């Protein structure tokens, strides 16, 4: 906040109004969607999930799958709350239907 340094007499005859403003707009929060590694889900299944639900190319999908496999997890994309929630639900449902223990989670950025 800008300080008003006017003395009581206000010799410069300004009104002492503070002109600093605070932006009042809010950016919508974004959510990271992450895939977690496990020992059982086949690599090809994970690649397929990334292509199908995240619109990634085969090469990008393979690369992200390998990152998860080696590092334990990776961010797959960043979305609004509703889109992130939908992706997580779609992936978890698809993995369950195919009896793979693949885990997908979301976290506020
Ligand atoms: N670790 C798994 C395997 O060796 C492959 C895998 C990769 C599983 C990514 C989950 O999110 C995952 N078959």
């Amino acid at each position: 906040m800008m300080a008003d340094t006017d003395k009581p007499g206000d010799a410069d005859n300004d009104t002492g109004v503070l002109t600093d403003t605070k932006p009042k707009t809010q950016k919508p929060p974004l959510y990271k969607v992450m895939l977690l590694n496990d020992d059982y889900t086949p690599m090809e299944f994970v690649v397929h999930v990334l292509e199908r639900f995240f619109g990634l190319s085969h090469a990008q999908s393979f690369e992200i799958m390998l990152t998860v496999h080696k590092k334990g997890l990776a961010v797959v994309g960043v979305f609004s709350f509703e889109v992130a929630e939908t992706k997580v639900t779609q992936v978890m449902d698809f993995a369950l239907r195919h009896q793979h223990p693949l885990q997908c989670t979301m976290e506020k950025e």
Side-chain angles (χ1 to χ4, degrees):
M1 190 68 78
M2 185 190 290
D4 180 8
T5 55
D6 287 344
K7 298 281 179 327
D10 200 13
D12 62 356
N13 202 32
D14 80 20
T15 56
V17 172
L18 302 177
T19 54
D20 254 7
T21 56
K22 214 192 241 175
K24 289 195 184 78
T25 51
Q26 299 278 323
K27 283 180 249 159
L30 291 174
Y31 292 79
K32 298 179 284 192
V33 171
M34 290 158 307
L35 224 45
L36 309 188
N37 190 36
D38 66 73
D39 292 338
Y40 305 102
T41 305
M43 290 184 172
E44 318 83 73
F45 184 82
V46 178
V47 171
H48 179 69
V49 161
L50 291 168
E51 290 175 329
R52 177 169 176 150
F53 298 112
F54 297 91
L56 301 171
S57 71
H58 188 78
Q60 285 175 314
S61 298
F62 197 86
E63 202 175 301
I64 292 175
M65 180 282 296
L66 266 191
T67 301
V68 178
H69 177 70
K70 287 193 239 172
K71 306 226 164 161
L73 87 178
V75 175
V76 174
V78 177
F79 309 97
S80 69
F81 181 87
E82 284 190 336
V83 173
E85 203 184 35
T86 301
K87 304 272 184 208
V88 170
T89 302
Q90 287 173 329
V91 171
M92 294 299 284
D93 183 63
F94 192 66
L96 206 64
R97 271 161 44 211
H98 289 83
Q99 300 184 284
H100 295 310
L102 180 63
Q103 295 292 305
C104 184
T105 61
M106 61 192 274
E107 183 182 288
K108 199 169 178 180
E109 205 179 45

